[in-house]
Amino acid sequence: MTLPLKITWVTALLLLAACRSEPIAFHTLTPAHGNNATRAEAGAIRIESISVPPQVDRAQIVIREGDSGLAILETQWWAASLADELRSALVDQLANSDARQAVSLRVEVQRFDSVPGQYALLDARWRLRPVGEGDRPGLTCRSTLQSPAGPSIDDVVVAHQNNLKRFAALINSAAGSSLTQCPSAQ
C-alpha cells in the first residue's frame, strides 16, 4: 500500500471511531422482585389516569442541575414513557391490595425530581373514588416522598422505585380504611 492510501484508511477509521455513540441504557420503575400477580388481579384499585409534568414526560430521563436547570440524558431512557412506567409500577405494587371495595385511582404528579448524588422526589396529588357509587365523593390526598440517591442513574432509579413502593403503601392504606382520611407519609 502506498503512504497516501494508508493515511486515507487510517483517517477514515479514526473518523468512524469518533462517530461511535454511547449505547442507550433503558431503566424501569418496576422493581425486579417479580410480583406474581397479573394486571387482571390488580382489580381492587383500578388506575383511572396518571399525569406527569411536561418537563419530565419523555422517554429520556431528565435530571435536575442546580436550582433552575434540567438536563435531558440522551443515553439514559425509561423503558416506556414516564406516565406508562408509573402506571406499570403502581399496578405491580397495588396488585395485592387489601382495599375494602373497588376504587378508581387518579394520580397527578406535581414534581418528579431526579438529582444524582442527592435524592429522588415524588410529589403527587391523588384521588380514590368508589367504583359505581355515582356522586359519592372520593378521598383526595397529596403525598411528597423523597429518598436519598447515589451518584449513578441506576441509584436514582432505585430511589424512585422506593418512593413508588411507599406511595403504593399510602394508597393501599387509604383504600383499606373506607376512604375516610389521607395517610401520612413516613
Side-chain angles (χ1 to χ4, degrees):
M1 249 188 210
T2 65
L3 185 60
L5 189 55
K6 284 182 183 179
I7 292 174
T8 304
W9 276 106
V10 169
T11 304
L13 287 174
L14 287 174
L15 286 174
L16 285 174
C19 293
R20 192 190 73 153
S21 63
E22 288 282 323
I24 294 174
F26 293 93
H27 302 274
T28 184
L29 291 172
T30 304
H33 64 73
N35 191 336
N36 292 330
T38 63
R39 289 182 187 267
E41 293 171 345
I45 299 176
R46 292 194 326 228
I47 298 176
E48 184 179 323
S49 68
I50 295 179
S51 64
V52 296
Q55 297 87 342
V56 294
D57 189 18
R58 55 184 51 247
Q60 299 95 338
I61 293 177
V62 177
I63 61 171
R64 276 191 152 304
E65 290 186 330
D67 289 335
S68 62
L70 295 175
I72 299 168
L73 304 180
E74 295 298 329
T75 60
Q76 303 292 328
W77 289 36
W78 295 114
S81 70
L82 183 56
D84 287 340
E85 277 294 315
L86 289 167
R87 177 182 295 276
S88 294
L90 284 174
V91 164
D92 182 69
Q93 294 292 329
L94 296 171
N96 298 318
S97 153
D98 58 355
R100 293 183 176 196
Q101 60 189 330
V103 293
S104 68
L105 170 66
R106 180 177 289 179
V107 178
E108 184 181 320
V109 176
Q110 305 293 306
R111 286 180 57 197
F112 190 86
D113 289 349
S114 303
V115 186
Q118 294 183 30
Y119 64 87
L121 179 126
L122 171 68
D123 179 9
R125 287 184 51 216
W126 50 283
R127 185 192 75 198
L128 284 175
R129 189 170 62 188
V131 173
E133 294 194 21
D135 294 336
R136 182 171 169 215
L139 176 67
T140 301
C141 304
R142 184 162 185 169
S143 300
T144 303
L145 302 159
Q146 183 173 317
S147 295
S152 74
I153 296 303
D154 287 337
D155 295 334
V156 172
V157 172
V158 169
H160 279 302
Q161 289 175 349
N162 182 50
N163 287 343
L164 284 168
K165 182 178 181 181
R166 293 170 42 214
F167 183 53
L170 294 173
I171 294 166
N172 196 24
S173 174
S177 67
S178 300
L179 308 180
T180 54
Q181 70 178 27
C182 294
S184 61
Q186 280 105 17

